[in-house]
Every structure is written in C-alpha cells, then in structure tokens.
Amino acid sequence: MGHHHAHPDGQSHHHEHGHGHDHAHGAALLEGNGRAFAIGIGLNTLYLVIETFYGLATGSMGLLADAGHNFSDVLTLLLAWGAAIMAKKSATFTHTYGFRRGTVLSALLSSILLLLALGAITLEAFQRLLSPHPVSGLVMIVVAGVGVVINTATALLFIKSQHHDLNMRGAFLHMAVDAAVSLGVVIAGLGIYFTGWLWLDPAISLLIVAIIFWGTWDMFRESLNLSVDAVPRKIDIRAISEYLATVPGVTGVHDLHVWALSTTDVALTAHLEVPSDFVAPDRWLANIIETLEDRYDIGHATVQVERADIGCRQSQCC
C-alpha cells in the first residue's frame, strides 16, 4: 500500500514502497540462485585447475585463453553472488535504498574484467600467429570437450533469471559464451589433429575473442548507463510521460526522473500539476502508482501533486 500526505500548501505526495513484494521476490530469487552460484563456482574452479595444467603442459594457446576466461567466470560468479546477497540487506539511515546498487556495480565490474581478459588473449594470440607453437590436438579436444559440458550445465542454472536481471545476465553470459569458447577449442583441436595446421589454435582464439566482445560490450554499456542513473533500457520514458499527461485532472508533467535502484528494481519521481480547485483523492493517486507498476514495471514511484496557483517551489524543478 502507498501512503498519501496532504500538506497545508495544497501540495501532496504519494510514495509507493513495494518493499514487502520486492524483498519476498528477492529472497526467492536469491534462494534459488544461491545453489546455482555454489554449483557453478565449484565446477568452474575445478575445471580451471585442470585446463590451466593441460594448457601449460601442452603449450596450447586455445586452452590457456579459455582458462583465462574461466578465471574471469569464477570471479564473475563470486561478484554476482555477493551482489545478490548485498541486495537483500535492509536499508539503513546512511544507505536509504539499501545495497541493491551493488548488483549494477557487479555487472559493470564483471564486464570490465572480461574486456581486460580479451585484450590479454588477443595480444598473446597475435604473437602465436607470428611464431606458432606445437600443441597436442588430442589433449585440446578432450579438455575443451569437458569444458563444453561444464559451462553449458552452469549456464542452464541461470537461464531463467537472466531475462529480468542484468547481474544474472552477467553470470549467464560468461557461462554461455564460455561453452561456445570451449566448443571453438574442440574444433581447433580437431583441425590440428587432422591437418597439423598450428595457426588454427591462435586463429580460433581470435574468433573466440570477437564473439565474447560482441556480447560483453553490450553488457558493459548497459551496466555503465545504469551506474550513472540513466533510464533503464526496458523503460519507455516517453510512454510514461504521455500516460501521466493523460491522467484525468493533470494539466502538466515535469521533473520526471526514472532510474535503476538495482539490476531489477526501478524508481520514478514526478511532479503532476493540477487545477487550483482540484482535490486529489487517495484512489486517484493509488491508480497512478498501480498503473506505473503494472504497465511499466516501476516498483518504487513517488508522485508529487502541485496546484497550479502555487506551482513548484524547487529551484531545479523545471
């Protein structure tokens, strides 16, 4: 339920918390994902050790590139898990929105880590193209084949959550892409085994980098935007502005702000101007808040109603 405060100056405020719903939803998500994170981190750490060992033993750039990426996967899963736990912590007097923004920072850091790893892999692959190293195609096929299975299984653990949470999409993207990466290494191993073409190893590494970069850059841009309070991609602010302007009794909409509280929660504030003789009933305000949540997926809306004869008193309002 929202609450409505009438003020002596005729202005009124309406704030929809939605905390109970959000925390219950967050708790259910965290409980389901907690197991997924634990399994994913365990499997990938084990595979990281195996892949690094065989990569160094055989001198395979493909395996080492994949191991480097796997290391960033483990870090990403740890980051995302930590952020999901932080998001569940209650608000305090100093952190009035709680710690949900940690999920945005986790997604941003995760994408930066991945971009840095791609740079290192690219540099090494170009050096290998100029001076190829002998590698064992068979070892590449077997080790990377195990990777395809492990990464696909881990990605499937996050397939549901990734549709509505950028933080979970970070975890899913790392794992799904890594499954594709391992598949690429298997193909390179098969090529080297049957043809002896050593350039296939670094060439596949570069192809892998290109594929990962395409998915990572999009996540980097979105998480960077959310971290500087841009309107979340899924929100159509023009449609919201048009809706508010057509609410019966509203003569003007200004100071409209929409931003992300976390990778799943969206907040809105707006000033609605009404005629001098208009009295805003509780139901009228409640309908606006409910429509914003149901139609536009905004769980935290604060609406300020202003009478035309008084106007807005905030210096930055217009």
Side-chain angles (χ1 to χ4, degrees), residues 2-7 11-15 280-282 285 305:
H3 50 269
H4 170 244
H5 305 296
H7 287 253
Q11 294 190 19
S12 60
H13 305 264
H14 182 264
H15 188 192
D282 282 349
L285 282 166
V305 182

Side-chain angles (χ1 to χ4, degrees), residues 89-160:
K89 289 174 81 74
S90 301
T92 66
F93 281 114
T94 53
H95 295 82
T96 54
Y97 276 127
F99 297 87
R100 286 173 288 182
R101 183 59 69 89
T103 56
V104 175
L105 298 178
S106 163
L108 179 61
L109 191 53
S110 165
S111 55
I112 290 171
L113 277 172
L114 202 39
L115 290 170
L116 288 172
L118 296 184
I121 293 166
T122 304
L123 192 66
E124 182 65 27
F126 273 119
Q127 287 171 352
R128 286 292 179 99
L129 272 175
L130 296 172
S131 55
H133 288 240
V135 292
S136 165
L138 194 61
V139 172
M140 283 175 69
I141 295 163
V142 174
V143 177
V146 173
V148 174
V149 175
I150 287 178
N151 291 312
T152 303
T154 311
L156 290 173
L157 294 171
F158 298 100
I159 199 159
K160 277 187 185 173

Side-chain angles (χ1 to χ4, degrees), residues 108 111 216-226 233:
L108 179 61
S111 55
T216 306
W217 185 251
D218 184 60
M219 191 174 81
F220 171 70
R221 280 195 330 175
E222 190 175 353
S223 53
L224 185 63
N225 272 331
L226 294 187
R233 191 183 290 178

